[in-house]
Amino acid sequence: MADRETRPTTVWSRPERGARGPAPERSRYEITAVALALADAEGLAAVSMRAVAQRLGTGPASLYRYVGSRDELLDLMADAVAGELDLSAAPSGDWLGDLVGLALQSKAAHTRHPWLPELNDRRGEVLGPHAIDYLDHALAVLAPAPGTSRQKLEAIGLLGGLATLFARREAMAAAGEDPGADENPGDGDPPAQAAHLAAVAAEGRHPYLLAALTTAGPPPPAGPAERDALFERLLRRLLPAMLG
């Protein structure tokens, strides 16, 4: 965003309150918690300084004593979600298992807060203290893993991307908003999709697809537990290949 390109500091580089003036009536933590609840209930677009102030029973101008802009509020929200991840366990030495555990936590956080991918798309590369703690912890987990520092950072980035992708699909499934469902009822139904794909393959113009479908068998169930299992299987295949 335009103001982010010229902003020299982040919200965390300034003290929460000035040395002078009256004692603060609010806190960044309280303001952020209200913004999170608002986004969870109504979506990210509903989060504004005015809407947060209304929920706090105060005027928008008073919030600027604690947060300089809506952008800074979004930064605080993203970092608060990063703070939900449990980083208390020391690395076990099983870097792959530990990293998969972090990824599952990240996916769960994205599922709890379905607006998070949109927020991250808009914010750019602003890391708050909790996000930095997460990055350092993930690198500690990867200390015994093969690969260069760059490969390890890329692997951590992959975790975030896959967590976002799977969480988006879960949110759509929970809301009954599968792509194309409005235009073609049943398109969001995995058995119907599989039947359509099989019919197309059977026409004979896609021999490799036909062979793959023939050997793969029927699609597995697509509930939350099955999606978690698929997520973990993908990570256990991809991560060693990236770091090997």
Side-chain angles (χ1 to χ4, degrees):
M1 301 176 73
D3 65 337
R4 189 172 301 287
E5 294 176 1
T6 58
R7 197 174 74 200
T9 61
T10 70
V11 63
W12 299 283
S13 65
R14 301 193 309 275
E16 183 160 352
R17 59 164 295 187
R20 300 178 180 179
E25 299 174 354
R26 309 292 179 187
S27 68
R28 286 177 183 166
Y29 176 85
E30 181 182 8
I31 293 167
T32 304
V34 169
L36 287 173
L38 185 59
D40 286 344
E42 302 181 29
L44 190 63
V47 177
S48 67
M49 300 294 275
R50 180 176 300 277
V52 172
Q54 287 177 345
R55 288 206 169 195
L56 287 168
T58 188
S62 68
L63 298 191
Y64 289 98
R65 294 174 55 196
Y66 313 93
V67 182
S69 66
R70 182 176 185 267
D71 273 354
E72 289 191 348
L73 180 58
L74 298 182
D75 292 344
L76 289 167
M77 291 169 64
D79 199 60
V81 175
E84 295 177 5
L85 305 187
D86 183 5
L87 309 179
S88 61
S92 68
D94 174 11
W95 66 266
L96 183 54
D98 289 350
L99 208 59
V100 167
L102 280 178
L104 287 168
Q105 283 199 66
S106 179
K107 184 172 78 66
H110 279 77
T111 302
R112 288 193 301 272
H113 307 293
W115 45 266
L116 189 58
E118 179 188 353
L119 185 152
N120 288 334
D121 288 344
R122 297 179 57 173
R123 288 172 59 251
E125 299 297 325
V126 179
L127 294 182
H130 288 117
I132 292 171
D133 287 346
Y134 167 81
L135 181 58
D136 188 72
H137 183 81
L139 288 170
V141 164
L142 284 171
T148 65
S149 295
R150 172 55 57 190
Q151 288 173 320
K152 292 177 181 181
L153 289 170
E154 289 172 349
I156 295 169
L158 173 70
L159 297 186
L162 284 177
T164 298
L165 174 63
F166 272 71
R168 275 176 167 158
R169 296 300 301 172
E170 288 190 13
M172 292 173 71
E177 296 177 357
D178 295 275
D182 291 337
E183 293 139 1
N184 298 293
D187 278 2
D189 179 22
Q193 291 176 338
H196 171 69
L197 198 57
V200 170
E203 293 174 357
R205 294 184 294 110
H206 306 89
Y208 291 99
L209 176 60
L210 177 60
L213 292 175
T214 300
T215 57
E226 289 78 18
R227 284 191 290 269
D228 276 353
L230 174 59
F231 182 62
E232 181 170 347
R233 286 199 305 274
L234 287 176
L235 290 176
R236 288 185 176 275
R237 292 171 186 168
L238 290 171
L239 291 170
M242 289 185 69
L243 297 171

